[in-house]
Amino acid sequence: GDEMSVLEESLMNMVRTSRLWQEGGTVIAACSGGADSLTLTDIMAKAAEEDDVTVLVAHVHHHLRGEEADEDARFVSAFCKDRDLYYTQFDIDPQALKEKEGLSLEDAARRLRYEALETYRKKVGAQGIFVAHHEDDQAETILMNLVRGTGTRGLRGMLPVNGYIARPFLAATRKDMETYCKEEGLSYRTDSTNGNPALLRNWVRLELLPLLATKNPRIKAALVQAAAVAQSDEAYLEKMAQKYLDSFSRNIFGTYDIDVGPTFDKLDLAIKSRVIRLAVKGVGGEELGFDHVKKILRLIEKGISGKSLDVPGHVRLIYINGRLMAGRHETDRAAQREKKLEIKEKQRHASQY
C-alpha cells in the first residue's frame, strides 16, 4: 500500500539527513544487488522524487565469482530499468592488483571499488557516493580492526561521512534491510562467499560475534557506541594537531616543513603522533600505522640532521635542524638502486658487442 511503514520512514530519514544529500544535487548509489544495497537504492529513489535529487546507480563487477557475478550485474541492471534509474557498470580486476601490490583480495577489491566510484563521481560532478554499510558491518569492522591491531582510528570503525562517501545506514541493522525487502516484495542476490570463514570478516561474523553475544547480547550496539566515542575523541585530537600544523608549519609546493623544536617537544604524544599523521596524509601518503609514527618520532628525538625515512604512499621524511620535511618522492630508493644496476648491466652488455 501507499502507507509508509515505520521502518521505511526511518530509513528514508537517514538518507535525507546525510550531509551529502542535497536538494537539486546528484548522488551515486553503489549497488551490489544484495539486500543492503538494494534497500539503499530503493529508498534513495523514493527520497529523490521528493527532494529533486538525481540518483545514478553504479554497480561494480569484481569478476571474481564467474557466472554468479554476471548474474548480479544483470539483476541490478534490470532493477534500475524497472524504476527508470540510470545504471552504470564498472569492471575491476582485484586479482591482478592483489598480485601486483601484495594486498589481500578484499583490500585490493575495496581499493579498486572506491577508485572506480570516485572517478565516476568526478566525471558526473556528484556530491556524494552512498554505500549501504549498516550497524552489523560497523561492529564487524571494529572487531576486524582490533584483531589486526589498531589505535583510536580503527576503533572509530567507518564514518557516516568520509570525504565523498556517505554511509547513511550505520544506525540500521542487516535485519532491517532484509525486513524492508520483504515488506516491499524485493528479491535480492546473496553472495556465495558470505559463508566462507577463511575471510576475516566472515569469521568475525560467524564465530566471534556470536561468542561475544553469549556474554553481552547487545554487543553490536556496545561496539557501535564505542565507535561513536572514538570518533568524537579522534576529531578533537585531530583538530588540536591541525592547530599546531597551522601555526608551526609551512606547506611549500606540496611539501610540509614543520617546526619540531621545543614547542613540538612539549606536546602530548597524542597530539605529536597526529601532527605526523596529518602531515603525511596531507602530502598524499597513506594512513600511517603506529610503528611508522614511532619511527618518525624517534627520528625527531635523535635529532641527526639529514637523516631520512620513507613511509608507505611514496612519502619521504627528512629531519634537518629542528625541522621535519615531509614530501612525496616518486621512486623509492630500492627502485632507484635497481634501476642503476639495470643500466650498468645494459652498458656492460652493449660493450660486449
Side-chain angles (χ1 to χ4, degrees):
D2 269 351
E3 247 338 89
M4 228 200 265
S5 75
V6 175
L7 175 59
E8 181 177 358
E9 199 160 353
S10 98
L11 293 174
M12 188 98 92
N13 198 37
M14 288 173 191
V15 165
R16 299 173 84 173
T17 51
S18 170
R19 76 180 153 81
L20 294 185
W21 183 269
Q22 292 153 15
E23 279 202 30
T26 300
V27 291
I28 295 161
C31 187
S32 67
D36 314 337
S37 65
L38 216 60
T39 296
L40 176 68
T41 307
D42 200 55
I43 291 280
M44 284 171 74
K46 287 176 181 169
E49 287 180 15
E50 295 175 40
D51 295 343
D52 179 34
V53 172
T54 306
V55 174
L56 308 171
V57 182
H59 175 74
V60 181
H61 191 325
H62 295 69
H63 294 277
L64 291 174
R65 290 177 294 117
E67 181 48 44
E68 188 187 333
D70 295 338
E71 196 43 58
D72 288 351
R74 280 196 290 275
F75 176 82
V76 178
S77 166
F79 175 84
C80 291
K81 222 188 219 106
D82 270 357
R83 279 164 187 69
D84 276 332
L85 290 168
Y86 192 82
Y87 170 83
T88 313
Q89 180 183 322
F90 294 96
D91 297 86
I92 59 172
D93 184 357
Q95 195 63 51
L97 185 70
K98 172 191 175 189
E99 283 153 24
K100 184 170 161 268
E101 304 262 338
L103 299 163
S104 75
L105 198 54
E106 295 82 63
D107 286 343
R110 186 172 58 244
R111 198 142 106 194
L112 291 174
R113 185 162 63 240
Y114 284 120
E115 268 171 24
L117 292 167
E118 176 54 20
T119 306
Y120 184 44
R121 186 197 68 77
K122 281 201 187 108
K123 193 178 127 189
V124 297
Q127 279 78 48
I129 299 157
F130 282 65
V131 293
H133 293 127
H134 46 65
E135 186 180 79
D136 300 68
D137 297 318
Q138 181 73 304
E140 289 159 17
T141 299
I142 296 160
L143 288 173
M144 282 165 72
N145 290 344
L146 285 172
V147 169
R148 291 192 189 123
T150 186
T152 341
R153 288 195 77 82
L155 249 185
R156 295 186 314 177
M158 297 177 281
L159 303 177
V161 172
N162 192 359
Y164 295 105
I165 305 285
R167 299 188 174 88
F169 285 171
L170 287 180
T173 63
R174 177 173 288 129
K175 199 155 179 28
D176 289 334
M177 311 292 161
E178 287 167 1
T179 305
Y180 177 82
C181 288
K182 209 183 263 121
E183 274 183 11
E184 297 296 311
L186 299 176
S187 63
Y188 51 85
R189 306 279 301 160
T190 314
D191 184 340
S192 65
T193 56
N194 278 351
N196 170 10
L199 296 177
L200 180 59
R201 183 176 293 278
N202 292 344
W203 175 80
V204 165
R205 186 174 71 242
L206 302 168
E207 310 276 336
L208 185 57
L209 269 169
L211 182 65
L212 294 171
T214 60
K215 288 284 169 238
N216 176 1
R218 301 195 59 251
I219 184 65
K220 284 176 196 161
L223 286 165
V224 169
Q225 184 59 50
V229 173
Q231 275 173 34
S232 67
D233 288 359
E234 183 66 31
Y236 174 73
L237 292 167
E238 213 160 78
K239 203 158 80 186
M240 299 324 298
Q242 189 57 56
K243 234 180 170 150
Y244 181 85
L245 274 176
D246 292 343
S247 310
F248 291 91
S249 79
R250 293 177 307 199
N251 190 332
I252 307 156
F253 304 123
T255 297
Y256 266 108
D257 168 2
I258 312 160
D259 178 350
V260 289
T263 318
F264 182 82
D265 199 42
K266 285 196 200 68
L267 293 175
D268 223 292
L269 178 62
I271 308 297
K272 276 184 184 165
S273 63
R274 282 169 179 84
V275 166
I276 305 280
R277 277 214 175 95
L278 284 174
V280 168
K281 229 178 149 177
V283 296
E286 282 173 26
E287 195 57 72
L288 285 188
F290 189 62
D291 294 342
H292 278 117
V293 174
K294 267 204 316 224
K295 275 191 189 132
I296 297 163
L297 289 172
R298 264 207 300 275
L299 177 81
I300 294 169
E301 272 159 35
K302 283 202 186 117
I304 302 167
S305 226
K307 264 261 191 256
S308 72
L309 181 71
D310 289 351
V311 296
H314 303 291
V315 168
R316 179 165 297 160
L317 297 127
I318 305 172
Y319 175 86
I320 303 168
N321 300 332
R323 309 192 74 80
L324 185 71
M325 310 293 168
R328 278 184 80 82
H329 65 95
E330 289 321 309
T331 54
D332 48 51
R333 290 166 201 173
Q336 281 171 346
R337 272 202 301 274
E338 286 280 306
K339 202 137 196 79
K340 273 195 189 133
L341 285 173
E342 210 174 75
I343 292 167
K344 273 208 181 106
E345 193 56 31
K346 278 195 181 128
Q347 286 167 342
R348 200 173 60 80
H349 247 66
S351 64
Q352 288 175 350
Y353 297 107

